[in-house]
Amino acid sequence: MAETEIISSSENNEQFFEGVEKLIEIWFTPAKNADLRKITRQQWENVLKIVRCEIISFTQSELVDAYVLSESSMFVSRRRWILKTCGTTTPLRCVRAVLSLARDVAGHSRVHNVFYSRREFARPAAQLQPHDNFDSEVKLLDSFFGDGRAYIMGPEKDCWYLYTLLPLEGTVDALEKEHCDASDGCGAPEPDQTIEILMSDLDPAVMDIFTRQYSADAAQATRESGIDKIIPGMVIDDFLFDPCGYSMNGVAKDGDKDIPSGCYMTIHITPEPSCSYVSFESNVPVSSYDEVIARVLQAFRPNKFVLTVFATPDAPGAEAARQLAKFGALGAYTLQEAQHCHFAGYLLQYALYCKFPS
């Protein structure tokens, strides 16, 4: 989070920052010699000016470039681009520029799939167009990608919005997609899975770690919170904002036997007591998320969280998504709402958990 984005509330003199992020992920159809990493840092900086954020730090592995931003993160690989931004940023405004760079610089002329998602904002009225409502976001996305699909999951105050080109299985379009050739840009050409844990109402003692008053630097906050132990072996690029707030990207070490190259994790923390929020995301291909989820919840101790798992049927995480659909509780947390969806080429599990009343 960026210090400039913090908004004061005159009613109670508390600071507010919108920690809820907007996540846009675009996959391009494989093409000979095409690579999004041909796009230069200066070109990315120009794109991010449209979004209203900037690059703070950079790290990379053999297969992925990872950028820590003033508002969250960006990941770039050969044919996948991920942008995750919080505050009052406007990530969908830059999509046209990204598609142009992908075509003219990287050599990618065809979009394979799109995922845009976010949780309900704490203060939706403070967002800039088109992010002031989901209908506007969908309208803009459709102007880029044609007739996409929009889904809303969960109860009103804790709902999770999703836009994608994937139809739910059982529809005519879904059946057509299942039988088309992956080389034509449909279907899932490679295993893929992603877990997100979106946490709110967090333990104040934990949130204190992510302030300059408590931690001297980002490395101290990373160690004391246990972030470095959530997925061991990651190369961590972390940043502690002034006076508070924290962002990190982790990428798999090249040649690591336990984590495949191209894997990442990212965590973003808004620690203010009135609006505490933490997001965790990773694409590490595990067959069970039990240990990862337990470490995340132990590190941050939220009172409430939204959990989503996306996985192709051939990914190790496909079974994890099915297992999560059966759980009525996770440790001290009870399941409030759950939806399990089969898309053409992907499985999705959405779940809302709250801590048992003490």
Side-chain angles (χ1 to χ4, degrees), residues 312-354:
T312 55
D314 55 349
E319 186 57 35
R322 295 186 187 97
Q323 291 173 354
L324 287 168
K326 302 174 184 177
F327 292 161
L330 285 175
Y333 299 88
T334 183
L335 180 64
Q336 300 292 311
E337 183 98 8
Q339 291 178 250
H340 188 68
C341 302
H342 290 252
F343 295 97
Y346 274 87
L347 303 173
L348 167 65
Q349 175 65 26
Y350 160 93
L352 170 66
Y353 289 91
C354 295

Side-chain angles (χ1 to χ4, degrees), residues 70-106:
S70 54
E71 278 81 12
S72 300
S73 294
M74 181 173 72
F75 295 91
V76 184
S77 55
R78 177 176 291 275
R79 68 183 192 96
R80 181 187 62 197
W81 171 72
I82 300 172
L83 180 63
K84 187 171 192 172
T85 63
C86 54
T88 55
T89 50
T90 52
L92 293 188
R93 292 185 185 178
C94 81
V95 170
R96 189 182 306 279
V98 171
L99 295 177
S100 295
L101 286 171
R103 181 188 65 241
D104 299 338
V105 178

